[in-house]
Amino acid sequence: MPVMKNALVTWMTFAFLLLWAGPLTGATPESAEKRPPGTEEKASVEEDEEIPYRYDPKGKTDPFDPFIVKKTRDLSQIREGDPAGEELRKMLAILEDLKKPKTELQTIPLSAIQLTSILKTDEESVAMVKGPRDAKGYMLKKGTYIGENGGVVEEIISEERMTDLGKQLIRKVVIKEPFLDKNQKISYRHVELKMPGSFD
């Protein structure tokens, strides 16, 4: 009798465990049942793939734009009678006047102008450039206005220099462009137009 009682208790315990564990092992998660076959593999493949980053400048600060110009673009924020604000307004007016096109060459961005030749004489050096429109040619000499940012030709260079690689031909036009610096004064930066194949 005790043997049967023990067997009955063991059997009941075993049955209870089967009933309790059955639904846990046999059931599949609800989300897995609803998911179409093969989706899990696809999802994991998509996670592994790297999406290439694309820069979108919209709403971001231009790192090449002088800070003071960016900060003070809205002149309506300058208070009437503020000496610093009036000085800034004056400098911006001068800058705008310097950038105002005086020649056809000043309506073309520098990036679209190509230096084609340089002729050096005893008196002066002149350069020939061409613009994007019908490859029209223009002659440059010192003091010629060029580009959309009020640029002026400062120097025309055509010379040979010794370098680590031997004698190299340097042919370029140095242009100075006005901008408003951090002290709210007109300063100039240098930009170069180089001949194809020029070393420096």
Side-chain angles (χ1 to χ4, degrees), residues 10-199:
T10 305
W11 183 85
M12 286 179 68
T13 306
F14 180 70
F16 176 73
L17 285 173
L18 276 177
L19 288 172
W20 180 72
L24 293 177
T25 54
T28 56
E30 195 175 325
S31 58
E33 286 175 5
K34 291 181 181 176
R35 196 179 296 145
T39 312
E40 285 181 20
E41 272 184 43
K42 196 173 180 182
S44 63
V45 170
E46 285 176 1
E47 285 173 9
D48 291 343
E49 290 177 6
E50 285 187 18
I51 299 170
Y53 174 74
R54 288 186 185 175
Y55 177 73
D56 182 9
K58 192 175 180 182
K60 294 184 176 75
T61 303
D62 183 356
F64 300 104
D65 202 5
F67 171 72
I68 192 69
V69 176
K70 197 79 174 175
K71 186 180 176 185
T72 56
R73 229 172 232 165
D74 187 5
L75 292 178
S76 63
Q77 293 179 359
I78 297 174
R79 293 178 186 169
E80 201 65 41
D82 177 14
E86 290 304 318
E87 181 66 20
L88 175 62
R89 195 188 300 272
K90 182 179 161 188
M91 288 296 117
L92 287 172
I94 293 170
L95 184 63
E96 189 178 337
D97 188 55
L98 287 170
K99 291 185 176 186
K100 198 174 288 179
K102 299 167 186 67
T103 66
E104 184 184 352
L105 199 50
Q106 282 186 284
T107 63
I108 307 170
L110 272 182
S111 58
I113 298 172
Q114 184 182 349
L115 179 60
T116 56
S117 62
I118 293 176
L119 177 64
K120 194 173 182 181
T121 66
D122 291 337
E123 295 177 3
E124 65 176 350
S125 294
V126 294
M128 287 298 296
V129 295
K130 66 178 181 180
R133 303 176 198 132
D134 304 322
K136 184 177 177 182
Y138 302 88
M139 189 175 76
L140 303 181
K141 52 187 182 178
K142 191 172 180 177
T144 302
Y145 292 100
I146 182 172
E148 293 179 317
N149 294 319
V152 181
V153 174
E154 187 174 56
E155 194 177 4
I156 297 171
I157 299 168
S158 180
E159 59 187 42
E160 287 184 339
R161 288 184 193 165
M162 284 302 296
T163 69
D164 293 340
L165 302 171
K167 199 177 280 185
Q168 299 290 338
L169 187 59
I170 296 164
R171 296 175 294 177
K172 62 184 177 181
V173 175
V174 180
I175 298 156
K176 62 177 187 177
E177 290 184 338
F179 72 98
L180 203 61
D181 64 20
K182 63 181 180 180
N183 297 316
Q184 300 183 11
K185 302 293 180 188
I186 302 291
S187 292
Y188 290 86
R189 61 175 155 249
H190 290 90
V191 184
E192 297 179 349
L193 281 180
K194 296 178 185 176
M195 282 273 288
S198 177
F199 177 74

